[in-house]
Amino acid sequence: MLDLRFVRSNPEIVKEALQKRNSSLSLDDFLKQEENRRKILFDVEKLKAQRNSVSDEVGCRKKNGEDAQDLIQEMRKVGEEIKALERQLRKVEEEMEKVLYEIPNVPHESVPVGVDESGNVEVRAWGTPRQFDFEPLPHYEIGEKLDILDFNRAGKVTGARFSFYKGLGAKLERALISFMLDKHTEKGYLEVFPPFMVHRNSMIGTGQLPKFEEDAFKIEGTEYFLIPTAEVPVTNLYREEIIDAEKLPIYHCAYSACFRAEAGSAGRDTRGLIRQHQFNKVELVKFSLPENSYDELEKLTRDAESSLQELELPYRVMNLSTGDLGFSAAKTYDLEVWLPSFNTYREISSCSNFEDFQARRASIRFRREPKGKPEYLHTLNGSGLAIGRTLAAILENYQEEDGRVRVPKALIPYMGVEYIG
RNA sequence: GGAGAGAUGGCCGAGUUGGUUGAAGGCGCUCGCCUGGAAAGCGAGUACAUGGGGUUGACCUGUGUCGAGGGUUCGAAUCCCUCUCUCUCCGCCA
């Protein structure tokens, strides 16, 4: 969320940001309400000040055994007025809060302006897509032929967009999780294993709620949500805390299962592992000083890229345009891996700087000096990487004509075999 | 799930016949004195949010905050209600 005072004193910046994001949100009503809010607040505080001083006098008189009935009568009326004004104030604040929580982050100046993903800009590419001298199969066909992926039985047991991994398929999934956690831990990310469910306030903290409730799975009969990414519990790890500046930056990596309702994606990527209701992911999360967060974003992106490089999977890095940028992000690099059966690059990681947008929502602050004023820190995160899509990319990029799949060199120690099949 | 106890400032911990308690005391921290230096000792200072004024984050001032929300009252950390979390015991379970 944006700082209310920032919105108040820089309405033109916010309006421009909304426009760049093709948002229809109108700010003018909001600004009028803010003016109104401050007026009511001013009035109510004046009355409270009066009540406080008169109440002191009542106490004084009673102590001296004097009568204070006249003051009490008078204050009874003031009390009524205060209550009425507070009701008004609460109503205005509730309405404003709704809007404030739905204003997206202001894109960084280096973000290209665009209407949708077609406005994304390629920053760099790595590796060369392999030339096949046979027709490469899609990963779901490879997986089913090798009997390491089973979508049909998952449909029977649970439903569409779920899958079973079997044998070396299950082992490959597990190997990728271990591999990535090991690599990132070596780079200085502290591993955490988070809860897979969080309460509503954590979802609000990272920006999934209130706007995108239909995308989340909620546990019926509770206030818990299944996490759509480890970003949610790990970023909220320090919610409502004030961190010493010398502890920053903090780097965490976390494996978690991720659960997404995929509302509105009917008909898209219905086959295979690309778009599932449940998938595994290793996530990188950073807490940074504000002045360093864009350097940290570059490093974070490189760290996510290194996993693809070690697995020798071709990819490209895209700077997302204002039309494709996520709600909470100020800037995002997507890593897109080459998928032969799609004959294109597909998103496998998303690395974002949220600046203080999430930190303000979750109240995560830091102190530069022991007696300094707390400031909001900057949060960042990126997939390092989405495991299911990585597995799909390995199956497709490493497939052989005889139907087997070669195991990437980096994974052989984890797999114990050189081929699947 | 059942029974009980509790939640106060960075930490520990007073305060439960409602009225100079934003909150005693201690620890920690910051600055100063002392010292060749350090420790000890002494002195001073040590919350956050928000409204208004202003030399527009020097400063002055109002309001709110003693787990969260609501209520009673002229006035609530103190009384009432609801919720959350923590601890102990029992039950259950991986």
Side-chain angles (χ1 to χ4, degrees):
Chain A
M1 124 177 99
L2 300 179
D3 183 2
L4 178 56
R5 279 174 302 183
F6 173 81
V7 178
R8 186 203 300 154
S9 45
N10 302 282
E12 65 293 336
I13 294 177
V14 179
K15 281 181 185 172
E16 192 193 334
L18 288 169
Q19 196 193 354
K20 281 185 185 169
R21 282 178 177 270
N22 313 309
S23 167
S24 58
L25 208 91
S26 157
L27 212 56
D28 290 326
D29 286 349
F30 181 78
L31 293 169
K32 248 180 250 163
Q33 276 182 314
E34 165 63 1
E35 223 173 287
N36 187 231
R37 184 195 136 251
R38 281 195 290 170
K39 189 184 161 293
I40 299 171
L41 192 60
F42 184 76
D43 291 344
V44 93
E45 284 183 355
K46 230 169 32 188
L47 289 176
K48 280 185 178 174
Q50 188 195 350
R51 181 177 71 181
N52 285 345
S53 68
V54 173
S55 289
D56 277 352
E57 203 185 326
V58 171
C60 242
R61 282 203 202 169
K62 290 215 164 173
K63 205 183 271 176
N64 298 335
E66 295 167 32
D67 178 69
Q69 217 35 50
D70 53 327
L71 294 179
I72 289 173
Q73 283 301 329
E74 193 187 328
M75 282 307 103
R76 209 168 273 168
K77 245 188 282 169
V78 171
E80 295 299 319
E81 277 179 69
I82 289 174
K83 263 184 201 164
L85 282 176
E86 281 190 326
R87 263 193 295 272
Q88 267 186 57
L89 189 64
R90 215 175 304 157
K91 206 175 138 214
V92 173
E93 281 175 341
E94 271 169 23
E95 283 170 23
M96 288 182 64
E97 192 170 83
K98 254 184 233 162
V99 178
L100 198 57
Y101 274 111
E102 302 211 351
I103 298 176
N105 203 352
V106 176
H108 188 252
E109 57 188 11
S110 64
V111 172
V113 176
V115 290
D116 53 27
E117 68 272 10
S118 67
N120 298 349
V121 172
E122 182 176 319
V123 177
R124 59 182 168 270
W126 185 93
T128 315
R130 173 180 159 195
Q131 295 300 310
F132 287 88
D133 42 19
F134 59 93
E135 188 62 34
L137 298 176
H139 68 274
Y140 42 88
E141 284 184 25
I142 300 168
E144 284 174 337
K145 280 192 173 157
L146 293 172
D147 198 26
I148 58 171
L149 293 177
D150 192 333
F151 299 98
N152 290 332
R153 288 199 177 95
K156 183 179 71 176
V157 172
T158 303
R161 295 195 191 280
F162 286 91
S163 56
F164 278 99
Y165 294 72
K166 298 195 287 189
L168 286 175
K171 191 168 184 180
L172 180 56
E173 183 85 356
R174 179 160 54 92
L176 283 168
I177 295 168
S178 295
F179 166 73
M180 289 179 193
L181 286 173
D182 288 348
K183 291 297 160 191
H184 294 311
T185 311
E186 278 168 25
K187 290 193 180 77
Y189 292 82
L190 181 68
E191 182 175 349
V192 297
F193 189 89
F196 290 2
M197 296 182 214
V198 295
H199 58 52
R200 178 173 291 273
N201 283 340
S202 291
M203 291 286 275
I204 291 173
T206 32
Q208 281 76 19
L209 295 183
K211 208 175 171 188
F212 306 103
E213 183 145 3
E214 76 270 13
D215 291 329
F217 283 112
K218 189 173 174 206
I219 310 294
E220 205 175 329
T222 73
E223 274 299 308
Y224 295 137
F225 292 83
L226 289 174
I227 57 172
T229 157
E231 161 193 351
V232 179
V234 178
T235 304
N236 279 285
L237 193 55
Y238 303 107
R239 63 177 295 116
E240 289 148 42
E241 291 191 28
I242 300 171
I243 296 166
D244 294 338
E246 71 246 29
K247 297 222 171 91
L248 298 175
I250 295 171
Y251 292 5
H252 284 307
C253 61
Y255 156 75
S256 86
C258 304
F259 303 89
R260 297 189 183 177
E262 294 301 334
S265 65
R268 292 170 64 197
D269 304 313
T270 48
R271 299 200 66 184
L273 293 173
I274 300 303
R275 194 177 296 275
Q276 299 261 291
H277 285 313
Q278 175 191 322
F279 61 94
N280 292 310
K281 185 155 60 68
V282 169
E283 184 77 359
L284 306 174
V285 177
K286 288 187 175 184
F287 301 86
S288 160
L289 290 171
E291 59 269 32
N292 298 336
S293 66
Y294 279 93
D295 289 341
E296 293 289 353
L297 176 63
E298 296 302 320
K299 280 162 66 186
L300 177 74
T301 307
R302 296 287 182 179
D303 289 338
E305 284 176 61
S306 71
S307 293
L308 286 167
Q309 292 178 10
E310 292 195 47
L311 295 171
E312 298 178 84
L313 292 168
Y315 68 88
R316 61 180 187 179
V317 181
M318 305 297 283
N319 184 1
L320 295 196
S321 81
T322 54
D324 202 20
L325 197 62
F327 174 77
S328 304
K331 182 174 185 174
T332 297
Y333 291 118
D334 269 7
L335 307 188
E336 298 182 341
V337 71
W338 178 256
L339 283 182
S341 79
F342 288 79
N343 198 39
T344 186
Y345 290 94
R346 288 301 303 262
E347 178 188 343
I348 196 168
S349 171
S350 203
C351 303
S352 304
N353 184 1
F354 302 92
E355 299 189 357
D356 63 6
F357 191 85
Q358 294 181 327
R360 183 171 293 108
R361 287 177 162 237
S363 189
I364 310 170
R365 293 176 293 177
F366 74 99
R367 237 191 267 275
R368 292 183 191 273
E369 304 292 332
K371 287 290 140 202
K373 222 175 154 48
E375 300 170 51
Y376 291 110
L377 47 70
H378 283 193
T379 61
L380 303 92
N381 68 58
S383 344
L385 307 159
I387 304 295
R389 288 186 180 184
T390 305
L391 187 139
I394 288 171
L395 294 187
E396 294 201 4
N397 283 283
Y398 281 86
Q399 62 182 300
E400 304 279 333
E401 193 163 14
D402 62 8
R404 297 191 300 167
V405 172
R406 196 158 64 77
V407 173
K409 271 196 214 82
L411 291 180
I412 292 176
Y414 293 87
M415 290 294 288
V417 295
E418 291 185 18
Y419 283 92
I420 298 172

